[in-house]
Amino acid sequence: MRLGEVRHPERARGPKPLAGVRVLAVEQMQAMPFGTQLLAHLGADVVKVEPPGRGESGRASRPAVTDRDGTSVGATFLRNNLSKRSVAIDVRSERGRALVLALAKRFDVFAENARAGAMARLGLGYDAVAAANPRIVYASISGFGNLAPSPYDGWSAYAPIAEAMAGTYEPTRREGEPPPVVVAGALGDNAAALYCVIGVLAALRERDRSGRGQHVDVAMYDAMIAMTDMVPFMGSMGEPRQAATAGRTGIVEAYAARDGHFVVAVFREHQFEKLARLVGRPEWLADPRFATREGWAAQRNGPVREALEQWARDRTKLEAARALNEQGIAAGPSHTADDLRADPHVAAHGMLVEVPRPDRDAGAPPMLVAGNPIALSAMADGPIARFPMVGEHTRDVLRAELALDDDALAALETDGVIGRPA
């Protein structure tokens, strides 16, 4: 899917579902920016508040590209800020905070993901913003939350910290080794963002009834406990930590094909029977080693691997997965980035957005940003706009929302309250 493209216009029976919803986002890095980008995909108008000059901290990540204004823009920012407008305001200055509070009066949602309590200390917490606009839905994402006390108040929390504390890494830890820290596309960030979006939509619905806004508060730690729910649940049943991951019961494993690997998931007896017959091992059905689901798991890297990889050696990973699915056995190829680019499902669903690199020639390969996974029968996909430059829309937004004239804008620029045009 390309920037500016509209896919399935026949689905659009009217405006997008969040058309008219306005979001003012004092956000950084990934958790809240991922959530507000999703709101933008669904039709919301998202205005992002960034520090003048350097912009928000996600712009400093790596790898990076050089934007049209000569600034470096990092991968974290590039992935999470499509279809937004940027205003550059120094919120640490009294006049900058006053501008943000004045803007908040004209928006439906105020979104922030500072460390818990930081916005309140700055003068832009829920109480201050709600005093300016009682109808505002104030959305917060932080490591450990704002609305309930935590012994971890004041701690920093990037995604792997919340993932580790929620028990995500322990089930796959080998005895005598440290837990494997695998940041799965910043799951701790994106999970918190999704729960926050749900909370925002619920709060907007309540505001439609009552006319009152409220504070939506999501702790990354809480979000990851919800996502990694098998860890506490299995522990409460007296099961070992390994019970919360693949390998203890059933067959959940990756096997080699001609061009890579495919993953097989066999959890029930009828599936195992089909697998045994498909790979030419019907004798497994009478073999006591395979009499239980725990037995299948114990053999998954012995006889099962030998038989499956022998069966798949002349097949591609996609062909192997297709043959297994035709027998009612869940399987799928283990994709690389190149595989995702070529996958017809990904193309048909518009799940990779082509974003031209501003530092390359027009014919250079584009960057590929994940698209909107929410398909609605009455909503077209797109159009999607590029990521903004720092403060690209400052003057336009302040003119339109606060009726500031050129002289007032120039004075704010001179005093460093807002950023200068690039």
Side-chain angles (χ1 to χ4, degrees):
M1 185 172 182
R2 296 179 176 86
L3 293 184
E5 178 184 357
V6 177
R7 300 174 69 256
H8 303 297
E10 72 281 358
R11 292 181 182 172
R13 298 198 293 267
K16 290 191 175 183
L18 296 186
V21 173
R22 312 190 68 210
V23 180
L24 186 64
V26 185
E27 59 182 15
Q28 59 185 329
M29 293 298 287
Q30 182 153 336
M32 188 60 80
F34 180 85
T36 55
Q37 181 175 261
L38 183 56
L39 294 173
H41 285 322
L42 296 173
D45 174 22
V46 180
V47 173
K48 183 182 184 79
V49 179
E50 301 190 69
R54 68 184 186 280
E56 62 111 319
S57 57
R59 291 182 182 268
S61 62
R62 296 290 182 269
V65 302
T66 302
D67 205 355
R68 298 177 304 198
D69 60 355
T71 61
S72 177
V73 187
T76 301
F77 187 90
L78 294 168
R79 299 198 318 272
N80 296 291
N81 290 282
L82 298 177
S83 300
K84 300 180 186 180
R85 294 185 288 164
S86 170
V87 296
I89 300 176
D90 180 7
V91 299
R92 296 188 179 278
S93 72
E94 183 177 350
R95 291 161 68 193
R97 289 192 295 274
L99 285 176
V100 171
L101 289 171
L103 286 172
K105 295 177 182 179
R106 300 180 59 83
F107 283 75
D108 302 286
V109 178
F110 187 100
E112 61 90 10
N113 64 318
R115 189 179 303 182
M119 293 298 282
R121 291 190 292 273
L122 192 61
L124 292 174
Y126 173 68
D127 291 342
V129 175
N133 179 1
R135 289 176 53 83
I136 202 84
V137 170
Y138 188 106
S140 298
I141 296 175
S142 62
F144 306 100
N146 291 270
L147 294 182
S150 170
Y152 311 116
D153 285 342
W155 285 25
S156 299
Y158 288 112
I161 307 306
E163 292 163 11
M165 293 181 72
T168 308
Y169 303 142
E170 281 295 318
T172 55
R173 178 175 60 81
R174 296 179 179 178
E175 292 298 334
E177 297 183 7
V181 179
V182 180
V183 183
L187 178 62
D189 286 320
N190 290 4
L194 293 175
Y195 288 119
C196 188
V197 167
I198 293 169
V200 165
L201 298 178
L204 288 172
R205 180 72 177 99
E206 164 60 20
R207 191 189 69 174
D208 289 343
R209 289 196 293 260
S210 68
R212 297 187 303 271
Q214 61 183 295
H215 191 174
V216 176
D217 188 41
V218 175
M220 294 167 65
Y221 188 14
D222 299 351
M224 280 308 304
I225 290 173
M227 293 296 288
T228 320
D229 67 302
M230 284 182 65
V231 171
F233 179 78
M234 290 299 189
S236 72
M237 295 186 71
E239 298 291 326
R241 60 181 172 83
Q242 295 88 348
T245 189
R248 189 160 180 266
T249 65
I251 299 171
V252 185
E253 191 61 74
Y255 296 100
R258 190 179 73 212
D259 63 341
H261 290 81
F262 58 99
V263 173
V264 179
V266 174
F267 295 115
R268 300 294 182 262
E269 283 69 19
H270 69 281
Q271 298 164 345
F272 179 74
E273 179 179 353
K274 291 177 178 179
L275 177 68
R277 297 191 187 283
L278 178 65
V279 300
R281 296 293 193 275
E283 66 274 13
W284 286 352
L285 304 177
D287 188 330
R289 294 177 302 168
F290 297 98
T292 65
R293 297 174 185 177
E294 289 78 10
W296 311 341
Q299 303 301 323
R300 73 188 189 281
N301 283 318
V304 174
R305 180 172 299 281
E306 179 183 351
L308 258 174
E309 294 189 347
Q310 172 72 19
W311 170 81
R313 67 179 182 178
D314 294 325
R315 292 177 168 89
T316 67
K317 58 188 178 183
L318 182 59
E319 290 168 344
R322 182 175 291 116
L324 287 158
N325 275 281
E326 287 171 353
Q327 296 298 315
I329 302 164
S334 181
H335 276 337
T336 65
D338 288 341
D339 295 330
L340 289 171
R341 273 196 295 270
D343 192 315
H345 169 102
V346 175
H349 288 236
M351 278 309 301
L352 289 177
V353 180
E354 297 181 2
V355 180
R357 287 192 59 154
D359 56 354
R360 299 284 177 87
D361 294 335
M367 299 177 290
L368 299 177
V369 178
N372 175 20
I374 303 172
L376 300 177
S377 63
M379 186 186 84
D381 297 330
I384 297 171
R386 82 184 297 275
F387 55 89
M389 294 180 287
V390 179
E392 181 177 350
H393 307 95
T394 305
R395 283 191 162 225
D396 291 342
V397 169
L398 295 182
R399 281 195 192 101
E401 304 299 334
L402 304 183
L404 297 183
D405 60 21
D406 287 346
D407 289 341
L409 292 168
L412 290 167
E413 289 165 2
T414 298
D415 294 343
V417 178
I418 65 174
R420 295 180 180 275

